[in-house]
Amino acid sequence: MVGEVRRMDFRESLEAGALRGELRKLMADMLPDDFLGAFTDDPKDFETTQRFCRELGTRQLIPLAWPPEYGGQERSPWDQMALREEMWAHHEPRGPQYMTVNWVAPALMRLGTDQQKQRHLPAIAAGDEVWCQGFSEPEAGSDLASLRTAAHPVDGGWEIHGQKVWTSYALLADWIFLLARTDPTAEKHHGITVFLIPLDRPGVEVRPIRAIVGPHHLNEVFFDGVWAGPEDVLGEVNDGWRVVRETLAFERVGIARYARCERLLLEAPVALGDRWAALPPVLLTRWATALVHTRQARLLAYRVIDKQTTGGVDPADVAAYRITVTRLDQEVGEVLMDAVQEYALGGAGDPYRRFVAAVEDHWRYAQASTVASGSVEMQRILLARSMNLGRR
């Protein structure tokens, strides 16, 4: 019926609640008390995430929402959201694996050949294969279609030359989801192809970029005559832009940043104890406002998931969520850093040190959140375009 409003039921299912309980117990059993994620100077942290991922794989929790033919349980998008929230709230103990699950696997399911699916999906489902994305370049960041990395035709395949930058987790990954231009004469958004390249292939070099967000987050990847065959192409040759558009729609709603924000905000009064009551009233007001904003971001995420269940996801909803949640990251980081600033340089014996370390980690990560995976400015352009199209 025209004008009918479909009401959304926010009550969590018993299955999703049980899943949260299972995940929380598993994390309590497997993660060290001071765990802050995989991307630190201590290699043991990455090893922790690898063990955790393999345990998830054993329990069929990595491919939770996948179809049974790919080893999944075909659980609902809401169960997948519950898992996503629990992982992100607890410093993402899957490490870089979340990226593999959020968009590499769905892209392989929709566009991969039978050989590609058989090669990669079981390994991803078991927690044994880690991917990174080769998108941004020195001259092509938010304007991704301006990329210059080129795949030149040679007998039986292509030879790839070029450079990618800001490549998250490349030092930890096994494979790269690589975007390269295969037709230099085509229009800007055409003539691009997606290649699936192992990072140990001759001609590939990864160089870390030291940055405030911590080790392993950012890297440069160089391609010097790297061979690629037809079996390395995902989808159709010169149709890579369509693949990427679909891929990024999955990624941008696949990170439940608000869950970590909410957990840190709620933990602050408990962690700081009597010190919390001594904070200025204006700071407590900012804290309460930020908490409201986390709930708003959650509702935007749920709007997208609700539409996924009916097959009607609107790019405008995805862009609106992305803008809101990345700005929330920075708002919460600033509020909490102001709350703990006098303890931030405390010694190892400081009773607030564990919470302060978590706040510092969140603040560092948040600095890049409005630029990474598509800047806020680009998301606003996408939102405006979607709204204009909707009016026609």
Short mmCIF file of all heavy atoms in Angstrom, two decimals, residues 324-345:
data_model
loop_
_atom_site.label_atom_id
_atom_site.label_comp_id
_atom_site.label_asym_id
_atom_site.label_seq_id
_atom_site.Cartn_x
_atom_site.Cartn_y
_atom_site.Cartn_z
N THR A 324 28.25 9.38 10.09
CA THR A 324 27.92 9.48 11.52
C THR A 324 28.90 8.71 12.38
O THR A 324 29.39 9.22 13.40
CB THR A 324 26.49 8.96 11.75
OG1 THR A 324 25.57 9.75 10.99
CG2 THR A 324 26.12 9.04 13.22
N VAL A 325 29.20 7.47 12.00
CA VAL A 325 29.98 6.61 12.89
C VAL A 325 31.46 7.00 12.91
O VAL A 325 32.13 6.86 13.93
CB VAL A 325 29.79 5.13 12.50
CG1 VAL A 325 30.65 4.75 11.29
CG2 VAL A 325 30.09 4.22 13.68
N THR A 326 31.98 7.53 11.81
CA THR A 326 33.38 7.95 11.83
C THR A 326 33.57 9.25 12.61
O THR A 326 34.57 9.42 13.31
CB THR A 326 33.94 8.11 10.40
OG1 THR A 326 33.07 8.97 9.66
CG2 THR A 326 34.03 6.77 9.70
N ARG A 327 32.61 10.15 12.51
CA ARG A 327 32.67 11.36 13.33
C ARG A 327 32.48 11.02 14.81
O ARG A 327 33.07 11.64 15.68
CB ARG A 327 31.62 12.36 12.86
CG ARG A 327 31.90 12.91 11.45
CD ARG A 327 30.92 13.98 11.07
NE ARG A 327 31.04 15.14 11.93
CZ ARG A 327 30.25 16.20 11.86
NH1 ARG A 327 29.27 16.23 10.97
NH2 ARG A 327 30.42 17.22 12.67
N LEU A 328 31.64 10.02 15.08
CA LEU A 328 31.46 9.55 16.45
C LEU A 328 32.78 9.04 17.03
O LEU A 328 33.10 9.31 18.19
CB LEU A 328 30.41 8.44 16.48
CG LEU A 328 30.23 7.72 17.82
CD1 LEU A 328 29.60 8.65 18.85
CD2 LEU A 328 29.39 6.46 17.65
N ASP A 329 33.53 8.28 16.25
CA ASP A 329 34.83 7.78 16.68
C ASP A 329 35.68 8.91 17.26
O ASP A 329 36.28 8.79 18.33
CB ASP A 329 35.58 7.17 15.48
CG ASP A 329 35.67 5.67 15.58
OD1 ASP A 329 35.25 5.09 16.58
OD2 ASP A 329 36.19 5.07 14.63
N GLN A 330 35.74 10.01 16.53
CA GLN A 330 36.58 11.13 16.95
C GLN A 330 35.98 11.88 18.14
O GLN A 330 36.71 12.29 19.05
CB GLN A 330 36.81 12.07 15.77
CG GLN A 330 37.61 11.40 14.65
CD GLN A 330 37.86 12.30 13.47
OE1 GLN A 330 37.25 13.37 13.34
NE2 GLN A 330 38.74 11.88 12.57
N GLU A 331 34.68 12.02 18.17
CA GLU A 331 34.03 12.68 19.30
C GLU A 331 34.30 11.92 20.60
O GLU A 331 34.69 12.51 21.62
CB GLU A 331 32.53 12.78 19.07
CG GLU A 331 31.77 13.39 20.24
CD GLU A 331 30.26 13.32 20.09
OE1 GLU A 331 29.79 12.63 19.14
OE2 GLU A 331 29.55 13.92 20.91
N VAL A 332 34.11 10.62 20.57
CA VAL A 332 34.31 9.81 21.76
C VAL A 332 35.78 9.81 22.16
O VAL A 332 36.12 9.89 23.35
CB VAL A 332 33.81 8.37 21.53
CG1 VAL A 332 34.22 7.45 22.67
CG2 VAL A 332 32.30 8.38 21.37
N GLY A 333 36.67 9.74 21.17
CA GLY A 333 38.10 9.80 21.48
C GLY A 333 38.48 11.07 22.21
O GLY A 333 39.24 11.04 23.18
N GLU A 334 37.95 12.19 21.76
CA GLU A 334 38.28 13.48 22.38
C GLU A 334 37.69 13.57 23.79
O GLU A 334 38.36 14.04 24.73
CB GLU A 334 37.76 14.62 21.51
CG GLU A 334 38.43 14.75 20.15
CD GLU A 334 39.93 15.03 20.26
OE1 GLU A 334 40.34 15.69 21.23
OE2 GLU A 334 40.67 14.58 19.38
N VAL A 335 36.46 13.15 23.96
CA VAL A 335 35.82 13.20 25.29
C VAL A 335 36.61 12.36 26.29
O VAL A 335 36.93 12.81 27.41
CB VAL A 335 34.36 12.72 25.21
CG1 VAL A 335 33.79 12.50 26.61
CG2 VAL A 335 33.50 13.72 24.46
N LEU A 336 36.93 11.14 25.92
CA LEU A 336 37.61 10.24 26.85
C LEU A 336 39.05 10.65 27.10
O LEU A 336 39.56 10.51 28.22
CB LEU A 336 37.53 8.80 26.33
CG LEU A 336 36.12 8.20 26.34
CD1 LEU A 336 36.13 6.79 25.76
CD2 LEU A 336 35.53 8.18 27.75
N MET A 337 39.73 11.17 26.08
CA MET A 337 41.10 11.65 26.30
C MET A 337 41.11 12.83 27.26
O MET A 337 42.00 12.96 28.11
CB MET A 337 41.76 12.02 24.98
CG MET A 337 42.32 10.83 24.22
SD MET A 337 43.68 9.98 25.08
CE MET A 337 45.03 11.09 24.72
N ASP A 338 40.11 13.71 27.16
CA ASP A 338 40.01 14.82 28.10
C ASP A 338 39.73 14.30 29.52
O ASP A 338 40.19 14.88 30.51
CB ASP A 338 38.89 15.78 27.68
CG ASP A 338 39.30 16.64 26.49
OD1 ASP A 338 40.50 16.64 26.14
OD2 ASP A 338 38.42 17.30 25.89
N ALA A 339 39.00 13.19 29.60
CA ALA A 339 38.69 12.64 30.92
C ALA A 339 39.89 12.00 31.59
O ALA A 339 40.00 11.99 32.82
CB ALA A 339 37.56 11.62 30.80
N VAL A 340 40.81 11.44 30.79
CA VAL A 340 41.95 10.70 31.37
C VAL A 340 43.27 11.41 31.17
O VAL A 340 44.32 10.86 31.52
CB VAL A 340 42.05 9.28 30.76
CG1 VAL A 340 40.75 8.52 30.93
CG2 VAL A 340 42.44 9.32 29.29
N GLN A 341 43.26 12.63 30.65
CA GLN A 341 44.50 13.25 30.21
C GLN A 341 45.54 13.36 31.34
O GLN A 341 46.74 13.20 31.09
CB GLN A 341 44.23 14.63 29.63
CG GLN A 341 43.59 15.62 30.59
CD GLN A 341 43.35 16.96 29.93
OE1 GLN A 341 44.05 17.34 29.01
NE2 GLN A 341 42.34 17.69 30.41
N GLU A 342 45.12 13.59 32.55
CA GLU A 342 46.11 13.74 33.61
C GLU A 342 46.73 12.40 34.02
O GLU A 342 47.72 12.36 34.72
CB GLU A 342 45.48 14.40 34.84
CG GLU A 342 44.35 13.60 35.47
CD GLU A 342 43.74 14.35 36.66
OE1 GLU A 342 44.41 14.42 37.71
OE2 GLU A 342 42.61 14.87 36.51
N TYR A 343 46.14 11.30 33.54
CA TYR A 343 46.69 9.97 33.85
C TYR A 343 47.37 9.34 32.63
O TYR A 343 47.92 8.25 32.74
CB TYR A 343 45.58 9.02 34.32
CG TYR A 343 44.58 9.67 35.23
CD1 TYR A 343 43.24 9.76 34.88
CD2 TYR A 343 44.97 10.21 36.45
CE1 TYR A 343 42.31 10.36 35.70
CE2 TYR A 343 44.05 10.82 37.28
CZ TYR A 343 42.72 10.90 36.90
OH TYR A 343 41.81 11.50 37.72
N ALA A 344 47.31 10.00 31.50
CA ALA A 344 47.77 9.38 30.25
C ALA A 344 49.25 9.06 30.26
O ALA A 344 49.68 8.16 29.56
CB ALA A 344 47.44 10.29 29.06
N LEU A 345 50.04 9.78 31.03
CA LEU A 345 51.47 9.52 31.08
C LEU A 345 51.87 8.83 32.38
O LEU A 345 53.03 8.84 32.77
CB LEU A 345 52.25 10.83 30.93
CG LEU A 345 52.04 11.58 29.61
CD1 LEU A 345 52.84 12.88 29.59
CD2 LEU A 345 52.43 10.72 28.43
#
